[in-house]
């Protein structure tokens, strides 16, 4: 009978600790000691070309991306993303949306060519045949939803032109944030 009391006591302690641990996670978040893994934003009915839902977030604090593309010395292009209010998630991250975290996908003329967990990528020349092409970087949450603001995906597009005699990049970016930054930037002192 004594072992039953011990077992019952252990069950009560486990229940209290388990309950406190479950409730304590929220308390820890309120103290700012952990990152909230709770869903953020609002899922919209809108989807991207691959059928992934848009995750709408407020403009204030929303992730942003700008894309810059330069021809490299070989047959290809160097793609550099500049992000704001966004962190790339490492491989193996749980498929739970966390504010301002995830991956970027790179598209050439609407076709996915890469999923990025870093801000730099080498775009092989054979993926960009002769002519003008639209290169887009779009941000996704870890659960595969598209970060969106005002019903539009968080993305940036640059145009490049590939030719037989060499490649010439087009405008660096067509995002409103990048255009605003360019218009407010002061010239370098020389």
């Amino acid at each position: 009978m004594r072992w039953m009391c011990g077992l019952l006591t252990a069950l009560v302690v486990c229940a209290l600790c388990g309950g406190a641990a479950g409730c304590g996670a929220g308390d820890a978040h309120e103290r700012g000691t952990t990152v909230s893994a709770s869903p953020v934003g609002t899922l919209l009915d809108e989807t991207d070309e691959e059928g992934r839902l848009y995750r709408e977030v407020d403009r204030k604090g929303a992730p942003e991306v700008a894309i810059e593309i330069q021809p490299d010395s070989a047959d290809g292009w160097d793609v550099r993303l500049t992000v704001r209010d966004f962190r790339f998630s490492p491989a193996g991250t749980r498929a739970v949306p966390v504010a301002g975290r995830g991956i970027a996908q790179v598209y050439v003329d609407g076709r996915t060519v890469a999923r990025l967990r870093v801000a730099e990528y080498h775009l092989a020349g054979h993926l960009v045949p002769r002519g003008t092409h639209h290169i887009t970087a779009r941000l996704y949450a870890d659960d595969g939803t598209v970060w969106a603001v005002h019903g539009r995906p968080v993305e940036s597009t640059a145009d490049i032109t590939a030719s037989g005699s060499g490649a010439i990049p087009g405008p660096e970016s067509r995002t409103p944030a990048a255009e605003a930054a360019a218009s407010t930037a002061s010239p370098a002192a020389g």
Side-chain angles (χ1 to χ4, degrees):
M1 188 67 151
R2 184 170 203 178
W3 66 272
M4 290 271 296
C5 288
L7 179 61
L8 187 55
T9 302
L11 288 174
V12 169
V13 169
C14 287
L16 290 175
C17 289
C23 295
D27 295 337
H29 173 65
E30 290 170 11
R31 290 189 306 263
T33 58
T34 63
V35 175
S36 173
S38 63
V40 294
T42 303
L43 289 179
L44 303 179
D45 290 333
E46 185 76 24
T47 63
D48 70 358
E49 303 83 5
E50 297 172 344
R52 296 172 185 232
L53 291 173
Y54 285 10
R55 181 172 297 280
E56 178 81 23
V57 292
D58 291 333
R59 181 75 177 134
K60 183 178 181 183
E64 296 178 24
V65 62
I67 188 170
E68 180 182 340
I69 304 171
Q70 297 292 325
D72 68 5
S73 59
D75 180 30
W77 303 83
D78 291 327
V79 178
R80 181 182 308 268
L81 305 181
T82 303
V83 295
R84 183 173 174 196
D85 295 326
F86 184 80
R87 279 190 335 205
F88 289 97
S89 295
T93 300
R94 289 183 11 183
V96 175
V98 175
R101 284 190 42 184
I103 66 165
Q105 287 195 177
V106 176
Y107 298 86
V108 174
D109 297 329
R111 185 183 78 243
T112 304
V113 295
R115 288 176 175 78
L116 304 181
R117 295 186 180 277
V118 294
E120 295 179 358
Y121 173 69
H122 177 77
L123 180 60
H126 73 274
L127 295 173
V128 187
R130 183 182 187 126
T132 299
H133 302 278
H134 307 294
I135 313 300
T136 301
R138 183 178 298 153
L139 300 182
Y140 288 81
D142 290 321
D143 66 346
T145 55
V146 182
W147 289 115
V149 175
H150 298 299
R152 299 182 57 160
V154 175
E155 65 182 25
S156 177
T157 300
D159 293 338
I160 60 173
T161 301
S163 65
S165 62
I168 303 170
E172 289 183 1
S173 180
R174 296 187 321 191
T175 63
E179 290 171 8
S183 67
T184 59
S186 60

